[in-house]
């Protein structure tokens, strides 16, 4: 849910990206024009606020073409990830939202965090809604109305990327259980290499170790997802979830993440694996391309496997992702819709895919994907699929950063794994009551 850049900006200051200095064609075909005929150019600037890492250079390049064709400029305002939601909520609550704002998808996320029925424009009648992956549209829908556009690589889940050459030299097979992962990490550590690069400082990344194996929790405890949504069970009732957090804590205590994981950031992932200092990382599958481009690796030097906590062997998917909402209080709703229509033209979607090394596909049909042989092997090796925890269970995604803080407290021995689950339950109950969820009445 991809290269990140860390910023030390304060919460009150957004980093404005100047379009003239961003992006690049990378040798692919030029982006398509807006296709708007007879409307004339407009001297308008649309403000678009998003979290760090959500707006790619390829979209910024397209925005320059859009401006040249229409006169409508996109002013990207990028806020550090750990500050973004507080900044956005402050603006929305004050009635001062940007023309376009970014947000994660998911029913509880868009209703609780963004109150889209009040703060966002209904986009159900837009042509691109019929083409976007229905599973992505489902994550953006409230009472039959679609409130956002998702353009994201929703198919290439974050998985454990590993150095195949190192594994081969040490005689390590791909782990299929937690115990096998632990044994592999011990062997790697004994060879003088840190087993896993985990950038906990970003605040959100480490939560995926717990959330992504969710389909396996549901398999181990049948109907768990549905029971959680219907308030028939609590997180604290789940032995599978408790086992997962306990295993994550053990990995940390055994030093598998190295000595600096609490200060490590995602932007250094490629460099850390590229130097050989680390053997694995929970990463976007595009990491292999980054290592090939920047560190002399071959694409097939990097293999992939799903997180095996609780012995998970299910390939988890997340149909949601960072999405684009039009603020209901904007003066330029029609122009914002025009921008969305421009981005979703087939040739512009392909341009974004071709010119973004961090993705392999997008959630629209008919595009030429960039899956590598190792990705294809991953898909074939794990035919069983399931939706990750945060995209199925309500009132999880909105508390993502809080869960991250609780897990850090657990790693520091200030909380126990069961305490983390109880804390999640408490926040879910609070959110459900605010939402007047009948299952919590």
């Amino acid at each position: 849910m991809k290269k990140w850049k860390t910023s030390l900006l304060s919460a009150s200051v957004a980093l404005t990206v100047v379009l003239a200095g961003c992006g690049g064609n990378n040798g692919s075909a030029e982006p398509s024009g807006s296709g708007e005929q007879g409307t004339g150019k407009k001297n308008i600037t649309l403000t678009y606020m998003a979290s760090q890492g959500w707006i790619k250079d390829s979209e910024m390049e397209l925005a320059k073409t859009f401006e040249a064709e229409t006169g409508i400029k996109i002013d990207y305002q990028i806020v550090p990830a750990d500050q973004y939601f507080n900044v956005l909520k402050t603006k929305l609550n004050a009635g001062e939202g940007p023309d376009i704002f970014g947000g994660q998808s998911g029913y509880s996320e868009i209703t609780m965090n963004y109150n889209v029925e009040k703060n966002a424009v209904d986009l159900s009648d837009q042509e691109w809604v019929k083409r976007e992956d229905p599973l992505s549209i489902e994550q953006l829908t409230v009472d039959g109305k679609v409130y956002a556009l998702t353009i994201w690589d929703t198919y290439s889940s974050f998985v454990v990327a590993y150095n195949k050459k190192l594994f081969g030299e040490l005689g390590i097979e791909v782990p299929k259980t937690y115990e096998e992962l632990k044994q592999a990490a011990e062997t790697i550590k004994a060879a003088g290499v840190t087993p896993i690069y985990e950038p906990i400082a970003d605040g959100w990344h480490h939560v995926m170790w717990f959330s992504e194996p969710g389909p396996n929790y549901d398999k181990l405890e049948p109907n768990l997802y549905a029971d959680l949504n219907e308030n028939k069970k609590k997180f604290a009732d789940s032995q599978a979830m408790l086992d997962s957090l306990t295993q994550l804590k053990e990995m940390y205590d055994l030093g598998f993440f190295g000595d600096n994981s609490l200060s490590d950031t995602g932007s250094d992932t490629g460099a850390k694996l590229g130097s050989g200092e680390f053997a694995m990382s929970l990463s976007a599958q595009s990491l292999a391309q980054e290592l090939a481009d920047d560190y002399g690796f071959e694409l097939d030097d990097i293999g992939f496997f799903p997180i095996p906590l609780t012995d998970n062997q299910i390939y988890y998917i997340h149909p949601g992702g960072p999405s684009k909402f039009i603020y209901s209080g904007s003066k330029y709703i029609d122009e914002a819709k025009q921008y969305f229509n421009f981005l979703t033209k087939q040739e512009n979607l392909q341009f974004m895919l071709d010119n973004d090394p961090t993705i392999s596909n997008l959630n629209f049909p008919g595009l030429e994907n960039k899956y590598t042989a190792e990705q294809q092997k991953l898909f074939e090796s794990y035919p069983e699929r399931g939706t990750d925890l945060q995209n199925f269970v309500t009132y999880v995604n909105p508390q993502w950063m809080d869960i991250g803080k609780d897990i850090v407290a657990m790693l520091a021995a200030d909380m126990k794994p069961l305490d983390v689950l109880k804390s999640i339950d408490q926040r879910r109950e609070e959110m459900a009551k605010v939402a007047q969820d009948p299952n919590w009445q």
Side-chain angles (χ1 to χ4, degrees):
M1 205 120 121
K2 298 175 184 176
K3 295 174 72 175
W4 300 269
K5 302 295 183 185
T6 302
S7 172
L8 297 178
L9 294 177
S10 67
S12 61
V13 180
L15 173 63
T16 300
V17 180
V18 181
L19 294 175
C22 299
N25 195 343
N26 295 332
S28 291
E30 291 294 330
S32 168
S34 67
E36 299 291 328
Q37 301 294 330
T39 57
K41 290 190 176 182
K42 304 175 182 178
N43 184 19
I44 289 173
T45 296
L46 296 175
T47 56
Y48 180 3
M49 193 172 78
S51 178
Q52 202 161 19
W54 288 359
I55 307 299
K56 307 299 183 68
D57 287 353
S58 56
E59 180 177 336
M60 294 178 184
E61 184 72 16
L62 284 170
K64 292 191 289 186
T65 299
F66 180 70
E67 180 183 358
E69 292 288 330
T70 66
I72 302 171
K73 180 180 180 180
I74 310 298
D75 177 18
Y76 290 108
Q77 300 176 342
I78 309 302
V79 180
D82 61 344
Q83 304 165 18
Y84 178 70
F85 292 109
N86 287 333
V87 174
L88 177 62
K89 285 182 179 179
T90 298
K91 287 183 174 291
L92 293 179
N93 291 337
E96 299 175 350
D99 297 304
I100 301 170
F101 63 90
Q104 290 286 357
S105 61
Y107 176 81
S108 57
E109 180 81 12
I110 67 178
T111 54
M112 295 298 301
N113 267 356
Y114 318 129
N115 190 8
V116 293
E117 292 176 288
K118 174 185 176 183
N119 291 319
V121 174
D122 177 9
L123 301 172
S124 305
D125 63 348
Q126 298 299 288
E127 180 276 333
W128 50 262
V129 171
K130 299 176 183 177
R131 291 184 287 116
E132 188 176 327
D133 187 331
L135 291 177
S136 295
I137 291 294
E138 184 180 44
Q139 298 290 318
L140 304 166
T141 302
V142 179
D143 291 337
K145 297 180 179 179
V146 179
Y147 284 98
L149 164 65
T150 302
I151 302 176
W152 203 253
D153 188 349
T154 59
Y155 308 122
S156 303
S157 304
F158 272 61
V159 288
V160 180
Y162 69 98
N163 186 323
K164 289 175 60 181
K165 286 187 176 180
L166 179 63
F167 269 49
E169 291 169 1
L170 298 177
I172 299 172
E173 299 291 335
V174 173
K176 295 186 179 298
T177 66
Y178 170 65
E179 284 301 320
E180 289 179 1
L181 176 65
K182 188 166 69 170
Q183 291 170 13
E186 292 284 16
T187 300
I188 293 166
K189 190 177 177 185
V193 178
T194 307
I196 301 170
Y197 185 73
E198 174 48 51
I200 295 176
D202 288 346
W204 59 271
H205 186 275
H206 57 290
V207 183
M208 291 190 293
W209 284 95
F210 168 66
S211 67
E212 299 304 276
N216 198 50
Y217 309 155
D218 193 54
K219 181 179 181 179
L220 293 170
E221 300 173 12
N223 214 47
L224 176 62
Y225 273 7
D227 286 344
L228 288 169
N229 284 341
E230 295 170 12
N231 196 28
K232 294 178 179 178
K233 284 187 178 179
K234 305 293 186 185
F235 274 59
D237 298 328
S238 172
Q239 184 63 46
M241 291 185 180
L242 182 63
D243 290 344
S244 182
L245 287 174
T246 301
Q247 290 168 0
L248 180 60
K249 166 67 170 166
E250 184 179 36
M251 291 168 63
Y252 179 83
D253 289 343
L254 290 172
F256 293 166
F257 298 152
D259 298 328
N260 303 305
S261 57
L262 292 176
S263 59
D264 285 335
T265 59
S267 60
D268 290 330
T269 302
K272 295 296 185 180
L273 267 72
S275 68
E277 181 182 352
F278 288 80
M280 296 178 274
S281 181
L282 178 59
S283 305
Q285 294 168 33
S286 58
L287 178 66
Q289 186 66 59
E290 180 184 350
L291 292 173
D293 290 343
D294 299 339
Y295 299 98
F297 281 64
E298 298 293 333
L299 278 176
D300 60 1
D301 287 341
I302 300 298
F304 306 102
F305 58 89
I307 297 170
L309 299 191
T310 65
D311 300 343
N312 171 58
Q313 287 295 286
I314 300 175
Y315 183 80
Y316 37 79
I317 59 174
H318 47 90
S323 305
K324 309 172 191 298
F325 301 78
I326 299 175
Y327 178 50
S328 58
S330 170
K331 296 179 182 179
Y332 305 120
I333 290 174
D334 288 340
E335 288 77 9
K337 287 181 178 179
Q338 187 177 346
Y339 179 57
F340 285 13
N341 289 332
F342 169 76
L343 290 179
T344 53
K345 289 172 66 71
Q346 197 75 359
E347 55 266 41
N348 290 340
L349 291 168
Q350 189 67 55
F351 178 86
M352 283 189 271
L353 177 55
D354 291 343
N355 290 274
D356 186 348
T358 70
I359 60 176
S360 301
N361 204 355
L362 289 172
N363 55 328
F364 282 79
L367 299 174
E368 184 178 346
N369 68 60
K370 300 185 297 186
Y371 294 136
T372 66
E374 283 299 318
Q375 284 179 289
Q376 295 287 4
K377 181 179 177 181
L378 171 70
F379 301 150
E380 294 168 3
S381 299
Y382 300 91
E384 188 175 1
R385 307 292 170 87
T387 302
D388 57 17
L389 183 71
Q390 68 272 22
N391 278 296
F392 198 108
V393 178
T394 55
Y395 313 120
V396 174
N397 220 26
Q399 56 169 302
W400 189 272
M401 300 298 282
D402 291 319
I403 296 173
K405 293 174 183 177
D406 287 344
I407 291 178
V408 169
M410 178 191 75
L411 299 179
D414 292 330
M415 293 180 74
K416 296 181 179 180
L418 183 59
D419 296 329
V420 175
L421 297 177
K422 289 180 177 179
S423 184
I424 295 172
D425 284 330
Q426 181 179 349
R427 287 189 292 265
R428 289 190 76 226
E429 181 174 3
E430 292 170 354
M431 286 186 280
K433 288 182 176 179
V434 170
Q436 298 182 333
D437 190 319
N439 289 313
W440 269 263
Q441 298 302 313

